[in-house]
Each structure stands twice: as C-alpha cells, then as structure tokens.
Amino acid sequence: MLTSINPKLPMRDKEITKKYYYNLGFEQLGSKEYDGYLMIKKEDIEIHFFEFKALDPKENYGQVYIRTDNIDAIYNFCLERHIKIHPNAPLEIKPWDVKEFALLDPDNNLLTFGQTL
C-alpha cells in the first residue's frame, strides 16, 4: 500500500534553498507557495523543506539517499554547474558495489546519489 517517501529537511532561508536546488535541476512542486515551507521535485524525486531559522548547520544531520540509473550524468551535471562535491564523498565505487558521490546543501543536509553496479 505504500507508494512513495518524501523526506522533510530543515532550511534556514527558503530563497537560498530554492536557488541551490533549482541549480541541481529541481523545480517547485505545484503552483502554490507556502510560507516557511518548500516542496521541490525532479523526475520521481520529491523533497520537502521546513523553515528552521535557528538551525546550526554544524549540528544538522539531515540526509537523503537518491538512487539513479545514470550516476555519471548526474555527477557531470553537478560539475558543469559548479556544484561543490562533498570533499569526503567524491564519485567512487563503494565496497557494497554502488557508485556514489555526495553533496552538502547550504544547511548541511547531505545528499548522496548512488547507482547499483
């Protein structure tokens, strides 16, 4: 009966979050804006954000794992748009036979992209 999962992550500034994720190719979900809340979508991936102005990014451990069938294209897309790759998570094949890389958004939410080999 379950059909999908949509993570909710904290954000300090809606406009900064929108700009970052729009640069990743996401777009607003729906036509209505909500004060202090953001919903974005890219293909079948949907992420929600709630406003948390007092968030200390150094204490934020929000994480999302996004599966893909073309990790190289997503990685190159990020490089072309000058999106900073997490220094401890470059594109590499992991021991669990998944090719992965990760990003940190402006609020320190970790986005890991992975493709099963």
Side-chain angles (χ1 to χ4, degrees), residues 59-89:
E59 295 181 9
N60 181 19
Y61 299 99
Q63 299 182 30
V64 177
Y65 194 96
I66 301 171
R67 296 238 177 233
T68 179
D69 60 4
N70 195 341
I71 192 82
D72 293 314
I74 293 172
Y75 183 76
N76 289 327
F77 178 85
C78 290
L79 293 179
E80 290 166 7
R81 293 192 172 224
H82 305 286
I83 297 168
K84 187 177 177 184
I85 306 302
H86 190 297
N88 296 326

Side-chain angles (χ1 to χ4, degrees), residues 30-49:
S31 60
K32 190 171 181 183
E33 285 274 341
Y34 299 96
D35 191 36
Y37 201 79
L38 174 64
M39 296 182 292
I40 58 170
K41 182 175 178 127
K42 181 176 181 179
E43 299 169 17
D44 291 331
I45 302 301
E46 185 178 318
I47 306 173
H48 295 210
F49 296 88

